[in-house]
Amino acid sequence: MPNIANDPTRKSWINVPEHSDFPIQNIPFGVFITKEDVITIGTRIGNSAIDMGALQQLGYFEGIDLTDDMFMQDTLNDFISDGKKTWRLVRNRLVEIFDSENPKLRDNQKHKDVVIFDVKDIEMLLPVQIGDYTDFYSSKEHATNVGKMFRDPENALLPNWLHIPVGYHGRSSTIVPSGAAVRRPNGQTFPADATQPVFGPSKLVDFELETAFITTDANLMGEPIPVDQAEEYIFGMVLFNDWSARDIQKWEYVPLGPFLAKNFASSISPWIVTMDALEAFRVKGPEQSPTPLPYLQQKGKNAFDIHLEVAIQPENTEETIVSKSNFKYMYWSMAQQLAHHTVNGCRVNSGDMMGSGTISGPTSDSYGSMLEITWGGKNPVTMKDGSERKFINDNDTVIIRGYCQNEAIRIGFGECSSKLLPAISIK
């Protein structure tokens, strides 16, 4: 089935501002609530949010085999479960509806009044019910930096790192959409000058610049997904801030890995950008040496050229950009991550989320965490208001942005933005 939505010459009758992340070629999917407290599945063009539930009720998806309430639900899980054929049919239909030459909705003001909203007049919700969440550790630069800081600099990567996409299972109950504030966590730490662990707010709260991908129902328990088929089961991608409490993690992570230092909060951008929309931005990933085992071997362009940046905005003042990175630096691809995740027969379901792991580039201005940017706090970053940051302060807002761009089109993710509130006082 052709992917007609990616035609770079197509224009919409909805106004799209210059440098918008959301031209008609994007057509991301999300869930929002209107001023009338109606929750609906929708898409976005420019600064207009489109109520797909209303479109379905008005007959605009006629001819596509959908359940009657497909877009009138409060999550995308059922739509994602329908698979790639349905995703493409719906996305193609949406670009036809909003094409500048199509008068059917363009010239029907009564329908437009119930279908189209200004994004300022809606509230974005979590787009999927996330059943399971896995976080990988797939940036060679990030893993090397952390290894240099905490282990032998000459042997920064652990022996398994170049052979498997390392990951751990996280907590989905505290994943929140962009705009939702998070709390500084309390927990146990073991300060350098202490003889016993102490309890209290984490002093080293950090962001982690990541992306995440959302899966469809991929397999039955016991069935692996071949690496060359894995992308068929990936619906799309979001920006992802996997908050981290470095001091809590340092004390707790041996022997079973991250726990309270990671499960207190993770933030995602609310619009899921489909893999179809990103097709034009494929690039080759880093050379993998040694060659992975056969079940992880890939050929061709399996990475994506996604420009990423992180800004910190202290309360009531201007933001400061602290990192500019790119998803193409990732050593292990999304297909390799999903193939490895299921090679033992682990079942993957619609709405499951897989975090990339912190995305760091080869230079200090492309590192994906404050741990690396300040090198464990030794090199503070100066904000535009003159204050300094070693890690994230209370009432700072961390903003992650991401987009792809070539000579013809820009496809973006919008923002993943979250404010860090002070810890709750526990006696």
Side-chain angles (χ1 to χ4, degrees):
M1 183 197 317
N3 181 10
I4 66 170
N6 287 8
D7 178 359
T9 65
R10 189 186 295 273
K11 303 292 183 185
S12 174
W13 50 262
I14 291 179
N15 178 57
V16 177
E18 189 177 7
H19 306 305
S20 172
D21 281 351
F22 302 102
I24 192 172
Q25 291 81 4
N26 192 337
I27 307 295
F29 294 96
V31 175
F32 61 85
I33 185 169
T34 69
K35 282 183 175 179
E36 291 75 32
D37 291 330
V38 175
I39 296 176
T40 185
I41 288 171
T43 187
R44 176 173 176 172
I45 297 175
N47 291 325
S48 295
I50 294 153
D51 184 339
M52 291 171 57
L55 281 176
Q56 184 175 13
Q57 288 179 301
L58 293 168
Y60 284 88
F61 294 115
E62 187 177 351
I64 301 177
D65 187 16
L66 301 169
T67 57
D68 291 343
D69 65 342
M70 177 65 79
F71 300 124
M72 288 164 267
Q73 301 183 39
D74 57 4
T75 75
L76 282 158
N77 292 58
D78 281 358
F79 175 56
I80 295 172
S81 286
D82 262 17
K84 191 169 186 176
K85 179 182 177 181
T86 298
W87 312 336
R88 187 170 288 183
L89 282 169
V90 168
R91 192 163 165 268
N92 284 349
R93 178 66 59 84
L94 286 165
V95 299
E96 290 173 342
I97 294 168
F98 293 97
D99 187 283
S100 58
E101 302 301 316
N102 187 346
K104 185 176 179 181
L105 179 58
R106 182 194 68 194
D107 298 345
N108 189 328
Q109 191 60 50
K110 184 178 179 181
H111 284 190
K112 286 197 294 185
D113 287 344
V114 297
V115 166
I116 300 172
F117 298 83
D118 191 302
V119 290
K120 292 182 292 187
D121 296 331
I122 62 164
E123 179 186 347
M124 297 303 299
L125 305 177
L126 205 64
V128 292
Q129 182 178 348
I130 302 167
D132 280 304
Y133 153 53
T134 299
D135 192 35
F136 286 94
Y137 189 56
S138 292
S139 162
K140 187 177 181 181
E141 290 82 2
H142 173 68
T144 300
N145 288 337
V146 173
K148 285 179 178 178
M149 271 186 266
F150 296 121
R151 290 189 298 274
D152 175 10
E154 298 301 314
N155 298 284
L157 292 178
L158 291 171
N160 63 357
W161 200 93
L162 293 171
H163 297 275
I164 61 173
V166 175
Y168 77 97
H169 294 289
R171 182 84 181 157
S172 61
S173 61
T174 44
I175 297 173
V176 295
S178 176
V182 304
R183 285 272 179 196
R184 180 179 295 273
N186 287 292
Q188 286 191 29
T189 61
F190 201 114
D193 57 352
T195 57
Q196 293 289 326
V198 298
F199 178 83
S202 167
K203 295 179 180 178
L204 306 181
V205 173
D206 201 355
F207 67 81
E208 289 188 350
L209 169 60
E210 301 193 28
T211 62
F213 64 86
I214 311 295
T215 66
T216 185
D217 299 298
N219 62 336
L220 297 176
M221 185 174 172
E223 295 182 352
I225 300 172
V227 68
D228 59 353
Q229 297 176 24
E231 282 193 19
E232 296 296 308
Y233 302 100
I234 298 176
F235 175 63
M237 296 177 66
V238 294
L239 303 175
F240 186 49
N241 179 2
D242 195 24
W243 293 89
S244 184
R246 302 294 182 187
D247 45 356
I248 295 174
Q249 185 169 346
K250 185 177 181 180
W251 173 232
E252 74 178 2
Y253 83 103
V254 176
L256 293 182
F259 185 38
L260 301 186
K262 300 293 296 179
N263 68 11
F264 66 96
S266 300
S267 306
I268 69 171
S269 55
W271 294 107
I272 303 175
V273 177
T274 64
M275 301 313 296
D276 269 354
L278 298 171
E279 189 61 35
F281 304 97
R282 285 184 177 274
V283 292
K284 288 197 68 136
E287 181 181 352
Q288 295 184 326
S289 179
T291 301
L293 292 174
Y295 79 95
L296 290 171
Q297 290 176 15
Q298 287 185 290
K299 296 179 181 179
K301 298 178 178 179
N302 302 296
F304 294 85
D305 184 9
I306 305 173
H307 301 276
L308 300 164
E309 72 173 33
V310 184
I312 298 174
Q313 184 176 20
E315 194 167 37
N316 300 320
T317 189
E318 192 177 356
E319 70 176 47
T320 301
I321 294 174
V322 297
S323 175
K324 290 191 174 183
S325 193
N326 196 299
F327 182 73
K328 68 183 179 183
Y329 298 137
M330 299 301 289
Y331 187 86
W332 295 104
S333 72
M334 292 183 286
Q336 288 174 318
Q337 290 171 340
L338 188 54
H340 182 66
H341 200 308
T342 61
V343 75
N344 67 342
C346 176
R347 184 175 175 179
V348 169
N349 299 312
S350 173
D352 285 357
M353 192 177 86
M354 316 284 176
S356 62
T358 303
I359 302 167
S360 292
T363 57
S364 59
D365 60 352
S366 63
Y367 292 164
S369 65
M370 293 298 280
L371 178 69
E372 298 163 272
I373 293 167
T374 69
W375 209 254
K378 295 176 182 177
N379 306 309
V381 176
T382 302
M383 300 286 102
K384 288 184 177 179
D385 66 359
S387 62
E388 289 188 338
R389 293 294 182 279
K390 295 180 180 180
F391 289 89
I392 308 303
N393 287 4
D394 286 348
N395 299 310
D396 284 350
T397 298
V398 176
I399 306 162
I400 297 177
R401 301 184 180 96
Y403 67 93
C404 308
Q405 187 154 13
N406 58 28
E407 63 281 353
I409 199 70
R410 174 186 172 117
I411 301 291
F413 293 79
E415 288 186 353
C416 176
S417 175
S418 190
K419 186 174 185 176
L420 181 65
L421 302 178
I424 291 176
S425 178
I426 300 177
K427 294 181 180 180

